Amino acid sequence: MKLTIASVCLAALLATGCSKKENNLNIVPKPVSVEIRNGDFELRPGLKIISNNVFCAEYLKEYLVNAPGIDLNNAQSNNTKGINSVIVPAENEDVWKEYRNKENCILLVIDDNFKLDDYSNNEDEPSEAYALNVSRRNITIKAASQSGLYYGIQTLLQMLPANVYCKDVADSSQKENWTVQAADIKDYPRYAWRGYMLDVSRQFFDIDFCYKLVDWMSAHKLNKFHWHLSDDNGWRIEIKSHPELTEKGAWRGPGEVLPEAYGSGKKRYGGFYTQEEIMKFIEYAQDRGIEIIPEIDMPGHSKAIVSVYPWAGCTNPSEFVSVNGETKNILCVSNDKVYTLIDDIIGELAELFPGKYIHIGGDEVQFKNWEECPHCQAFLKENGWEDERELQRYFVRKMDEIVSSHGKIMCGWSEIADMDLKNNKGKSEDEIKRTFSDQTILWAWKENTQCIDFLKTGYPTVFQIAQYSYFDMKYSEFERGHTWASIVSLEKAYAINPEKMVDSLSQVEYGKPASEKEKSYIKGLQCGLWCELLNKPARFAEYQFFPRACALSESAWTNENSKNYEDFYGRMQKKHFERLYNMGIAFRVEPPLVVYENGKLIGKSDYIIRYTCDGGSIPDSSSPVMDGPIETDTPNMYRFAAFYKDDLKSITILPQGIAPAEYLNPETNIETSFKAEVKGFPMSNITDYDFSTYWRTERMARKGDYITYRFAEPVECSRIVVESGIPNIDMYGITDGYVEYSCDEINWVKANDFVDNVSVIDNRENKLKISAVRIIFTNSNDGLNVSVQDLKIEK
Ligand code: TNX
């Protein structure tokens, strides 16, 4: 009897021990299969890394050597901290045999014949699968390619204490248990295409940041870096045959060919990558399994090119504004010289980038330019075309010719297939025609029925869907970022599932789910960071990418059946945030939730909450910690923020449901030097005291411009906050100017200059009855127009 109980207990212990251990690995992205074994592998002095791949052996060694707390110093070897890597040629079976049964070693093996039963990769792509076996004796990672091996190492690193990522922080006081749970892991990706895009035109990111992104993204098993190298606001790649592109086109500001934009201010702003820099960078990325896809965005989004070579743009009498508010940013497609220029550029790109693909953009062309350009119109007539979309198709066809002539495959945003979609509508499968080769990849970026039509047309399609994967969208209502597609919370970013999406889109459009064949054209997933709103703070790109990129990586790598948001978030909480922190990523910290109930402020957060109670100041790491409910009659004086290890913190929040101040809404009239208003953004929007709407002027500001808010009756108030720009979006605000106010409209008192688009009138001491507030512009602003808001008049 006793024995039975004991064995039941033992079995239970083993069972719970096993499942608990499985949970404890907390790997992101989640592997296909993990079987936990008994025991641990312990890293001991004299540890050997044996490999037939120099890069991977050295890569892993560097982590183990640099990790704080790991003390392998007693080793007999002459290597730092006793890690001895032995590089074994692949053909040398004897050496493998010798080490296979030895203790205290890590074997990293590339084996051409390595295969996992249920995984088959496309012949053109390297196999990315790996098997990781950890026993008490040793660790073996096997793969058929360097990228497979690299991913096995990423999983192994995640099985070590998170400290392994603290490079150069040799804090020996942090002794860790350097053991690895014994386990059998078999793993391979859901999609062959797992990408991230960075817009380096709107803001320039130096090459060091690009290196860091490669480290961070490849640690999440992402394998494509889509480098958006040109756009309206800066040209970023050295082209030796056309040096002006970077000499002039890489810079904006006073006296430059490109005007200031997106917060770059009244100074020379910009930068570019030299070909030499790029060559080294490519190699670095390649070693880490990342292929780079360079993008030159044409024929729209081409202001940088057109500003350097005005002849390359359309010569239309009027100026048409693109969705981003740019003019003169479209290439003249009827001009042969344009194609010679592009051929030179693509030629250099093709030579520089060893990858298969070149992305030519093709998005968001404002056709009105072509409708008015005499050359484009003549060309259209000559060809007997009716639709400007034919001009777009002609241009992209030329791009296809150029890109293929340099031995590469053309890719483009979804718009490059507009004409194909139009022509194929309602056609049967055998009647469907494609303009471009069936290798051309389309980028689907909007969640609409076009997505299913791309697949029907038979183009491989990368899903970079704005509603889920545009990480320039804000995380939550009160954070910075665009909202045009959606608010993209971590959970929303995790929810992307292209198969399910096209099923329901197909249901809407064709009354049935997408076919297996159609789904087979889903190439994979990408996240993207557009950078209009990223001028500050310096590390905001990290905030926007992480942790959402972790969610994207799991959607791209892990089978849909194994995905579960709660489980994912649990792994983030238990270990992955710490890994990110140790990697040095300034990721976004979830703000706390604070409610006011029965006279008490009650806070909820997974992190430490700190607060201030002076009605405005922002909590920092020296602010008091909220360690329980706070009793107060003045909840609106409190501000809260969540802190991850003191130096990463969330946005500052107010208790839920408590307005920061009560605003007055006196009857107000406007007098201004601006003449017109843009459709949809009337001037009356700034006197209705609806803070979500705003007025957009017809042009950018000039020195001497003014906007006067005149109150029907003088107003008694404590403060007036004059905000500019799009509400909650740091765009098209007032960069150079100040506010003044008056009680009689004869004497004016100067208040503050605009800083970060905001100026404040403080009337708490003077208690004046203010009858008018005036904005004075001292210089132009950096948008094509000015967005103006209602005054926030505090009681
Ligand atoms: C759309 S998606 C764009 C970009 C903007 C972005 C902002 C696409 C191909 N173009 O030019 O930066 O929205 O979210």
Side-chain angles (χ1 to χ4, degrees):
M1 185 65 182
K2 266 186 187 165
L3 197 72
T4 327
I5 292 172
S7 53
V8 168
C9 287
L10 188 68
L13 199 72
L14 284 176
T16 50
C18 282
S19 61
K20 197 168 143 248
K21 275 178 176 163
E22 186 163 353
N23 281 337
N24 276 349
L25 296 185
N26 298 312
I27 293 166
V28 177
K30 192 175 180 184
V32 172
S33 113
V34 177
E35 279 182 45
I36 299 293
R37 303 271 177 242
N38 285 332
D40 297 306
F41 172 87
E42 193 188 343
L43 280 76
R44 295 197 310 271
L47 174 76
K48 284 193 168 55
I49 299 171
I50 297 121
S51 183
N52 57 357
N53 181 278
V54 183
F55 171 77
C56 285
E58 293 296 329
Y59 176 88
L60 176 61
K61 183 170 140 188
E62 206 183 302
Y63 271 98
L64 300 182
V65 165
N66 285 329
I70 184 166
D71 186 9
L72 303 174
N73 264 331
N74 311 328
Q76 296 302 309
S77 80
N78 51 8
N79 263 290
T80 335
K81 291 202 181 174
I83 297 166
N84 203 344
S85 65
V86 180
I87 315 294
V88 184
E91 62 277 9
N92 199 338
E93 254 306 305
D94 291 346
V95 189
W96 287 122
K97 274 199 195 120
E98 183 194 334
Y99 282 104
R100 199 166 295 145
N101 294 315
K102 281 224 165 113
E103 297 214 334
N104 202 23
C105 52
I106 301 178
L107 290 92
L108 308 175
V109 189
I110 295 187
D111 174 355
D112 294 342
N113 300 317
F114 170 79
K115 261 201 162 76
L116 289 180
D117 291 344
D118 42 357
Y119 167 70
S120 65
N121 61 299
N122 182 328
E123 292 291 290
D124 307 341
E125 313 271 349
S127 161
E128 297 177 295
Y130 68 92
L132 165 60
N133 170 272
V134 182
S135 72
R136 288 196 178 113
R137 192 176 277 279
N138 57 27
I139 295 177
T140 312
I141 305 177
K142 263 196 184 184
S145 70
Q146 181 171 310
S147 33
L149 201 55
Y150 182 80
Y151 295 146
I153 293 174
Q154 296 313 320
T155 302
L156 173 61
L157 290 174
Q158 293 198 7
M159 291 168 84
L160 285 160
N163 264 355
V164 76
Y165 295 103
C166 304
K167 284 196 174 170
D168 312 322
V169 196
D171 177 0
S172 53
S173 64
Q174 291 187 342
K175 279 262 160 49
E176 288 271 6
N177 193 8
W178 286 85
T179 56
V180 185
Q181 170 64 50
D184 259 324
I185 297 180
K186 293 195 172 60
D187 202 9
Y188 55 84
R190 173 182 181 181
Y191 296 116
W193 192 288
R194 305 178 303 281
Y196 63 101
M197 187 214 79
L198 181 67
D199 159 17
V200 293
S201 174
R202 273 62 171 271
Q203 309 293 339
F204 177 64
F205 294 87
D206 63 21
I207 197 80
D208 291 346
F209 181 73
C210 299
Y211 275 95
K212 283 188 197 161
L213 269 187
V214 164
D215 287 342
W216 299 335
M217 296 300 186
S218 65
H220 291 86
K221 305 186 173 86
L222 297 188
N223 66 353
K224 308 281 174 194
F225 173 35
H226 171 182
W227 212 358
H228 187 78
L229 286 164
S230 82
D231 208 300
D232 297 318
N233 316 96
W235 180 275
R236 304 288 176 224
I237 173 170
E238 176 191 26
I239 300 295
K240 297 209 193 255
S241 54
H242 298 276
E244 309 83 5
L245 280 168
T246 46
E247 280 164 13
K248 297 181 183 168
W251 306 96
R252 55 188 197 235
E256 303 297 330
V257 294
L258 287 169
E260 61 189 294
Y262 302 127
S264 58
K266 301 257 177 306
K267 60 179 191 306
R268 188 173 194 248
Y269 172 89
F272 65 93
Y273 312 105
T274 65
Q275 294 199 2
E276 211 182 338
E277 270 174 335
I278 292 177
M279 243 152 15
K280 285 195 196 124
F281 176 59
I282 291 169
E283 208 176 300
Y284 185 89
Q286 225 168 18
D287 272 337
R288 287 154 184 79
I290 289 187
E291 176 180 349
I292 302 175
I293 295 87
E295 178 187 351
I296 302 298
D297 201 351
M298 303 169 291
H301 288 280
S302 293
K303 196 177 179 77
I305 309 177
V306 174
S307 304
V308 177
Y309 305 115
W311 54 261
C314 283
T315 48
N316 38 357
S318 344
E319 289 198 336
F320 294 104
V321 179
S322 76
V323 271
N324 292 86
E326 302 290 352
T327 54
K328 290 197 183 1
N329 70 340
I330 307 277
L331 296 177
C332 183
V333 289
S334 66
N335 184 346
D336 282 342
K337 263 176 74 188
V338 167
Y339 302 103
T340 316
L341 171 69
I342 296 173
D343 186 50
D344 292 343
I345 295 170
I346 300 287
E348 289 193 36
L349 250 60
E351 206 138 285
L352 194 57
F353 290 93
K356 283 186 264 188
Y357 305 104
I358 291 183
H359 198 298
I360 60 94
D363 59 313
E364 299 180 321
V365 178
Q366 170 55 280
F367 286 152
K368 287 225 170 73
N369 287 269
W370 290 340
E371 280 169 28
E372 260 205 20
C373 169
H375 305 290
C376 289
Q377 281 307 310
F379 191 64
L380 193 92
K381 296 229 168 63
E382 222 173 88
N383 284 288
W385 296 329
E386 276 172 10
D387 194 324
E388 272 69 27
R389 275 182 282 194
E390 287 286 10
L391 288 175
Q392 162 97 346
R393 176 155 73 150
Y394 169 80
F395 177 84
V396 183
R397 211 188 261 141
K398 295 286 279 186
M399 294 303 102
D400 196 15
E401 272 168 39
I402 292 174
V403 172
S404 335
S405 77
H406 293 286
K408 302 286 176 180
I409 299 166
M410 179 187 73
C411 311
W413 294 103
S414 60
E415 286 95 322
I416 68 168
D418 275 357
M419 212 48 210
D420 284 5
L421 256 48
K422 179 176 177 243
N423 290 340
N424 290 326
K425 201 80 209 163
K427 299 254 165 79
S428 71
E429 209 179 295
D430 351 311
E431 292 168 322
I432 281 176
K433 288 209 183 73
R434 274 188 297 275
T435 303
F436 315 112
S437 96
D438 45 14
Q439 288 184 297
T440 293
I441 303 179
L442 299 183
W443 258 244
W445 60 279
K446 285 183 235 172
E447 184 179 15
N448 61 22
T449 52
Q450 282 198 334
C451 293
I452 181 68
D453 290 339
F454 300 143
L455 306 180
K456 271 195 195 305
T457 317
Y459 285 118
T461 303
V462 168
F463 282 66
Q464 186 184 325
I465 304 293
Q467 281 82 349
Y468 302 85
S469 310
Y470 270 25
F471 293 166
D472 51 323
M473 298 298 137
K474 53 171 80 170
Y475 277 93
S476 70
E477 193 184 344
F478 299 109
E479 279 164 278
R480 275 248 310 283
H482 282 302
T483 47
W484 67 261
S486 179
I487 286 182
V488 181
S489 63
L490 182 59
E491 189 166 3
K492 180 105 197 220
Y494 192 77
I496 180 85
N497 176 3
E499 268 86 5
K500 190 169 150 222
M501 182 190 294
V502 295
D503 269 343
S504 55
L505 292 168
S506 177
Q507 198 73 49
V508 169
E509 190 72 1
Y510 302 101
K512 56 176 184 211
S515 69
E516 282 314 305
K517 184 165 177 216
E518 284 158 2
K519 286 182 189 168
S520 72
Y521 293 110
I522 299 175
K523 185 98 181 150
L525 284 178
Q526 259 195 202
C527 55
L529 188 58
W530 299 101
C531 295
E532 293 96 318
L533 308 182
L534 260 72
N535 61 317
K536 62 182 178 327
R539 302 185 64 186
F540 201 55
E542 292 165 50
Y543 185 102
Q544 295 296 85
F545 263 131
F546 290 97
R548 289 186 288 202
C550 310
L552 182 281
S553 82
E554 188 146 307
S555 297
W557 180 274
T558 307
N559 207 296
E560 192 57 35
N561 300 333
S562 312
K563 277 181 62 191
N564 174 295
Y565 181 70
E566 276 69 42
D567 177 65
F568 163 76
Y569 195 69
R571 278 177 278 131
M572 295 297 296
Q573 277 298 346
K574 282 184 225 140
K575 197 158 174 199
H576 204 65
F577 280 124
E578 195 182 348
R579 294 185 191 117
L580 299 182
Y581 180 83
N582 290 347
M583 287 179 198
I585 303 174
F587 60 86
R588 180 229 188 213
V589 176
E590 180 75 28
L593 186 71
V594 181
V595 291
Y596 186 60
E597 269 170 21
N598 307 324
K600 283 185 192 139
L601 288 162
I602 301 161
K604 218 179 116 192
S605 172
D606 295 323
Y607 312 101
I608 293 170
I609 307 175
R610 293 179 188 275
Y611 65 95
T612 59
C613 48
D614 60 2
S617 65
I618 292 180
D620 62 26
S621 60
S622 64
S623 308
V625 173
M626 182 186 203
D627 43 19
I630 299 172
E631 256 188 73
T632 175
D633 295 336
T634 53
N636 58 346
M637 297 298 278
Y638 284 76
R639 302 289 181 272
F640 300 89
F643 282 72
Y644 187 93
K645 302 209 186 197
D646 275 8
D647 52 349
L648 292 186
K649 66 171 176 178
S650 71
I651 55 161
T652 302
I653 57 132
L654 296 151
Q656 251 191 16
I658 309 275
E662 254 176 78
Y663 297 122
L664 302 174
N665 49 4
E667 193 188 326
T668 309
N669 290 306
I670 302 293
E671 192 192 316
T672 176
S673 56
F674 291 97
K675 293 261 155 23
E677 50 196 28
V678 175
K679 219 171 127 206
F681 303 93
M683 197 194 286
S684 56
N685 276 353
I686 65 166
T687 51
D688 61 1
Y689 295 96
D690 169 351
F691 298 115
S692 63
T693 60
Y694 59 102
W695 166 38
R696 182 181 283 181
T697 64
E698 88 286 10
R699 58 167 172 84
M700 79 191 319
R702 294 183 200 122
K703 186 177 176 194
D705 272 330
Y706 65 91
I707 300 167
T708 308
Y709 297 74
R710 190 169 287 124
F711 306 130
E713 298 289 336
V715 176
E716 269 188 80
C717 61
S718 60
R719 298 197 320 158
I720 301 179
V721 181
V722 188
E723 290 181 21
S724 67
I726 302 176
N728 270 319
I729 297 182
D730 193 11
M731 229 162 127
Y732 307 141
I734 301 168
T735 44
D736 292 80
Y738 61 90
V739 165
E740 54 187 23
Y741 58 98
S742 174
C743 300
D744 52 13
E745 293 206 41
I746 300 165
N747 300 302
W748 290 86
V749 182
K750 185 176 178 288
N752 295 326
D753 286 338
F754 278 87
V755 176
D756 292 340
N757 302 334
V758 182
S759 170
V760 178
I761 299 169
D762 195 337
N763 191 34
R764 279 179 295 193
E765 292 214 334
N766 300 339
K767 298 200 169 64
L768 300 171
K769 288 188 171 183
I770 297 173
S771 62
V773 170
R774 187 152 70 191
I775 297 171
I776 305 281
F777 292 79
T778 51
N779 209 333
S780 56
N781 68 322
D782 71 1
L784 279 169
N785 47 52
V786 189
S787 292
V788 191
Q789 302 182 24
D790 307 72
L791 298 176
K792 288 192 169 132
I793 309 170
E794 296 175 12
K795 224 180 195 164

